[in-house]
Amino acid sequence: MLTQHLELPSDVILELPRITTIGQIHAYIENHKGLILFSESELRLRMKDGHLRITGEKFVLKMMLPEEILLEGKIKELAFIEE
């Protein structure tokens, strides 16, 4: 496989999001393609083949870079929506 030969992580080669959560209070999302929607109860990010929707309560964006976001609040659900 190409990822093994180049010794690169598959998420980088395939342009997949990497999501790291700490319980229900933090979500760190890498490799997104842009912010679609942000509110106190929902975050939507554009992905290569669709969207990522995170729902919950009391959301705050603690960090936002071109391809990285750190979300804090009470996370209830993560959903991938294919286009």
Side-chain angles (χ1 to χ4, degrees), residues 64-78:
M64 186 169 149
L65 300 173
E67 293 184 0
E68 302 173 32
I69 284 185
L70 175 58
L71 176 71
E72 284 188 355
K74 184 175 182 185
I75 299 167
K76 293 185 177 179
E77 180 180 29
L78 285 95

Side-chain angles (χ1 to χ4, degrees), residues 35-80:
L35 180 68
I36 297 170
L37 175 109
F38 174 75
S39 72
E40 187 178 281
S41 60
E42 184 175 359
L43 173 72
R44 281 191 187 223
L45 297 172
R46 185 170 285 108
M47 300 294 167
K48 180 184 174 196
D49 294 320
H51 301 94
L52 170 66
R53 182 180 70 215
I54 303 175
T55 57
E57 300 172 355
K58 300 179 182 173
F59 284 169
V60 175
L61 288 180
K62 293 302 254 186
M63 178 190 70
M64 186 169 149
L65 300 173
E67 293 184 0
E68 302 173 32
I69 284 185
L70 175 58
L71 176 71
E72 284 188 355
K74 184 175 182 185
I75 299 167
K76 293 185 177 179
E77 180 180 29
L78 285 95
F80 291 95

Side-chain angles (χ1 to χ4, degrees), residues 10-27:
S10 58
D11 59 316
V12 172
I13 296 292
L14 301 174
E15 297 183 58
L16 297 173
R18 178 182 293 219
I19 303 165
T20 306
T21 60
I22 299 175
Q24 288 181 278
I25 60 170
H26 285 235

Side-chain angles (χ1 to χ4, degrees), residues 1-10 13:
M1 181 171 226
L2 180 62
T3 57
Q4 292 172 340
H5 179 69
L6 296 176
E7 298 182 11
L8 294 171
S10 58
I13 296 292

